[in-house]
Amino acid sequence: MPMTTSASVPIGPEGAIATTDSVIDRLVDANGQYAAAFTDPGMDARPVLKVAVVACMDARLDLHAALGLELGDCHTIRNAGGAVTDDVIRSLTISQRALGTRSVILIHHTGCGLESLTEDFRQELEAEVGQRPAWAVEAFRDVDQDVRQSMQRVRTNPFLLHTDDVRGFVFDVKSGLLREIDPA
């Protein structure tokens, strides 16, 4: 039987989700159950720990569990590869300047899908749809070096107020452990 991370998702032949509802319908139904028991925690948008977490969007990373975080502790910014793109800088700038964060933790991981892509992905998209994306793929071969590059992008950005507490890590998807990357 194919493995899934969601115990409530029935799996049919060849690993397909066996349901008449769409996945989004299932998520909306789950939200109804969540909302029925929800109570306003009385928090504002300022993270209690004054930290922003920038990480890959990979579904294997449960950041709150892996870092011992609770609701309201941090801002979480996720994108493919955990790349520090212009949009990540935008989010970090708002997080720091408007909402009081002072620390940034960058988390990449082993076995990232961006290690198997190249910038040729953009040309392939252009050939398929007739328009090249304005964004870079941010593919990489060396995860440690990519973390170093991300730390450098944060530390040298003129829009960010707090760049003295920026640290980068690689999350091992097999062990769950973080390995800190020396910025040098």
Side-chain angles (χ1 to χ4, degrees), residues 129-150:
V129 302
Q131 181 178 345
R132 182 179 290 183
W135 39 263
V137 175
E138 298 281 346
F140 59 88
R141 296 285 173 257
D142 181 340
V143 67
D144 291 16
Q145 183 55 35
D146 202 58
V147 172
R148 284 185 198 95
Q149 175 178 290
S150 293

Side-chain angles (χ1 to χ4, degrees), residues 54 61 63 66-67 105-112 115 140-148 151 166-184:
V54 177
L61 278 66
L63 295 171
L67 300 173
I105 180 172
L106 304 165
I107 301 177
H108 290 37
H109 65 93
T110 58
C112 185
E115 291 175 292
F140 59 88
R141 296 285 173 257
D142 181 340
V143 67
D144 291 16
Q145 183 55 35
D146 202 58
V147 172
R148 284 185 198 95
M151 284 189 282
V166 177
R167 293 169 62 187
F169 297 84
V170 174
F171 177 86
D172 187 310
V173 297
K174 301 281 187 209
S175 71
L177 289 173
L178 290 175
R179 178 174 52 83
E180 188 159 10
I181 302 301
D182 184 347

Side-chain angles (χ1 to χ4, degrees), residues 47 51-56 63-64 69 74-78 91 95:
V51 64
V53 180
V54 177
C56 185
L63 295 171
H64 275 73
L69 295 167
C74 71
H75 282 158
T76 305
I77 303 162
R78 294 182 78 151
S91 294
S95 178

Side-chain angles (χ1 to χ4, degrees), residues 90-130:
R90 172 187 163 270
S91 294
L92 285 172
T93 302
I94 293 166
S95 178
Q96 287 189 356
R97 290 180 176 263
L99 298 166
T101 60
R102 300 187 60 83
S103 300
V104 179
I105 180 172
L106 304 165
I107 301 177
H108 290 37
H109 65 93
T110 58
C112 185
L114 284 187
E115 291 175 292
S116 63
L117 289 177
T118 67
E119 292 299 321
D120 291 341
F121 185 72
R122 292 174 70 228
Q123 283 84 18
E124 293 164 8
L125 283 172
E126 181 179 21
E128 180 182 329
V129 302

Side-chain angles (χ1 to χ4, degrees), residues 79 83-93 134 138 153 157 159:
N79 71 0
V84 177
T85 60
D86 286 346
D87 200 51
V88 168
I89 292 296
R90 172 187 163 270
S91 294
L92 285 172
T93 302
E138 298 281 346
R153 285 180 178 174
N157 192 280
F159 300 115

